[in-house]
Amino acid sequence: MTDPKLRVLIPSGKIQARIRELGSQISKDYPEGNLHFVCILKGACFFMADLARAMERDVAIDFMGISTYGKGKTSSGEVKVTKDLDVTVEGADVLIVEDIVDSGVTLNYLVHLLEQRRPKSIRIAALLDKPERRLRPVHVNYVGFQIPDRFVVGYGLDYAERYRNLDAVCVLDDEPAA
Ligand code: PRP
């Protein structure tokens, strides 16, 4: 895709190499047991698909839809589940799979919600982390890349539903092309 407003921040090859490392690390950390990946729609679906295939063991996959209001502006962002899990995670090792952690509002809420369902453990894998933007505390166990506070699209991330299918993470430049 050629678009003058896009500048590659993390090229596809780097993303895939990092996901292979994460898959190998996570596989070692969970040598056995009932491991459930919980993908947060929609942005994380590309990361989840690649991470699951980089795993050296069997994993179950499931999806959750979350919507947030007032996100990033205040620490009191309202969160709502728009699609719940299909199967129970009681007694399972849950790995929440996210494309990006920004304010932390979404994951802070989700961890508390899933804890009530009595899983054996909960950890978080996020491809991208913007620590500067944090409003709520979140412990991200597996981070692909820490990035600066720039508006990024691609590899699942959108701007008004566009650009999700880019294979790289790109900065979306508001400056008009020269
Ligand atoms: C994005 C991202 C995370 C959340 C992170 O989702 O996928 O779920 O925002 O932001 P936070 O840390 O400030 O809560 P978005 O609401 O844009 O939905 P989408 O994945 O469907 O694009």
Side-chain angles (χ1 to χ4, degrees), residues 21-68:
E21 287 176 0
L22 290 173
S24 171
Q25 181 64 53
I26 296 166
S27 301
K28 286 192 183 75
D29 292 350
Y30 297 91
E32 56 195 19
N34 192 5
L35 179 57
H36 275 242
F37 279 12
V38 171
C39 172
I40 310 307
L41 295 170
K42 305 176 202 171
C45 66
F46 295 85
F47 178 42
M48 215 255 321
D50 286 340
L51 184 62
R53 286 177 293 181
M55 293 292 291
E56 294 151 13
R57 53 155 292 168
D58 181 53
V59 295
I61 63 169
D62 207 342
F63 298 86
M64 257 186 126
I66 305 279
S67 71
T68 47

Side-chain angles (χ1 to χ4, degrees), residues 36-41 62-66 79 81 83-98 105-125:
H36 275 242
F37 279 12
V38 171
C39 172
I40 310 307
L41 295 170
D62 207 342
F63 298 86
M64 257 186 126
I66 305 279
V79 185
V81 174
K83 188 229 168 281
D84 209 337
L85 297 173
D86 290 334
V87 292
T88 177
V89 291
E90 189 171 344
D93 290 308
V94 169
L95 185 72
I96 300 172
V97 180
E98 260 291 23
V105 166
T106 304
L107 279 173
N108 183 285
Y109 170 86
L110 195 62
V111 167
H112 286 109
L113 180 79
L114 291 179
E115 270 169 359
Q116 292 164 23
R117 301 181 183 185
R118 293 184 295 174
K120 185 175 169 201
S121 69
I122 301 182
R123 287 187 184 175
I124 296 170

Side-chain angles (χ1 to χ4, degrees), residues 102-176:
D102 192 352
S103 69
V105 166
T106 304
L107 279 173
N108 183 285
Y109 170 86
L110 195 62
V111 167
H112 286 109
L113 180 79
L114 291 179
E115 270 169 359
Q116 292 164 23
R117 301 181 183 185
R118 293 184 295 174
K120 185 175 169 201
S121 69
I122 301 182
R123 287 187 184 175
I124 296 170
L127 182 70
L128 305 174
D129 186 13
K130 276 187 189 173
E132 288 169 55
R133 298 258 306 169
R134 206 70 95 247
L135 295 172
R136 294 277 179 90
V138 172
H139 180 61
V140 186
N141 305 84
Y142 305 98
V143 177
F145 303 91
Q146 283 201 351
I147 61 167
D149 183 14
R150 303 299 307 275
F151 193 87
V152 287
V153 296
Y155 200 74
L157 293 140
D158 74 310
Y159 172 67
E161 294 301 327
R162 290 189 63 198
Y163 305 117
R164 289 194 199 272
N165 60 320
L166 290 170
D167 62 1
V169 171
C170 299
V171 173
L172 183 63
D173 218 333
D174 284 325
E175 300 297 317

